[in-house]
Amino acid sequence: MNRHIILIGYMGSGKTSVGQILSEKLGLPLLDTDAMIVEERGMSVNDIFASRGEAFFRLLESELLERIAGMEEPVVLSTGGGLPMTPQNREPLRNLGMVVYLQAEPEEILRRLEHDDTRPLLAQGDRGEKIRSMLDIRGPVYRETAAHTVRTDGKTCAQIADEIIKLYRMEDDSHESIGY
Ligand code: S3P
């Protein structure tokens, strides 16, 4: 039996949008770590970073992940882009179920986030440069954490969701008991 579907990847790679479609198509609840933290703290991500610092936000992410691990019913989980970068989060993420890395090219990410002002890590410096250098470090970690890497460029969110559903059903079949 499959458990949760976990979407990881860089900011702007489509985790939330694809998560919404997956949740509708599979009839599973959607959880979004950023949205949960914002709701629980009553503050935006920008404000948490500004008033308490990034390290505090990372602690909130790890603590939330622990609580999600205790959930029985399968969910679609959309994660903040930095969550797998905390080393102690990687194993718990994998243990939750099928981890999928939504891979987007830096040019596409820049296009999507060009006018975004909700990501504190992109607030300063040359945005394109920042995205490329962060992806150089994060890309291998995302790939190594995920069971599947799905390329997103040139695809609609619905197409990406369909690809993930196929993978989910395949994994589910492969875990079925052979019966002897
Ligand atoms: C972050 C990604 C953001 C949010 C925070 C930090 C990151 O989430 O958690 O701004 O370190 O990549 P999204 O990936 O949903 O934008």
Side-chain angles (χ1 to χ4, degrees), residues 71-119:
M71 292 182 178
E72 287 294 322
E73 293 305 313
V75 300
V76 176
L77 178 66
S78 167
T79 59
L83 192 140
M85 301 311 297
T86 302
Q88 64 266 31
N89 289 347
R90 290 177 205 147
E91 195 57 33
L93 271 177
R94 289 193 208 98
N95 289 339
L96 284 178
M98 186 177 87
V99 182
V100 179
Y101 166 33
L102 297 189
Q103 189 198 2
E105 294 304 318
E107 298 72 29
E108 177 62 21
I109 292 171
L110 180 59
R111 203 180 57 71
R112 291 188 196 155
L113 298 183
E114 207 150 17
H115 304 292
D116 178 270
D117 59 3
T118 65
R119 272 50 175 224

Side-chain angles (χ1 to χ4, degrees), residues 40-60:
E40 287 179 9
R41 306 301 302 189
M43 281 168 111
S44 69
V45 173
N46 268 334
D47 288 344
I48 298 173
F49 269 65
S51 64
R52 307 294 301 270
E54 180 177 355
F56 178 72
F57 180 79
R58 300 303 174 198
L59 281 179
L60 295 178

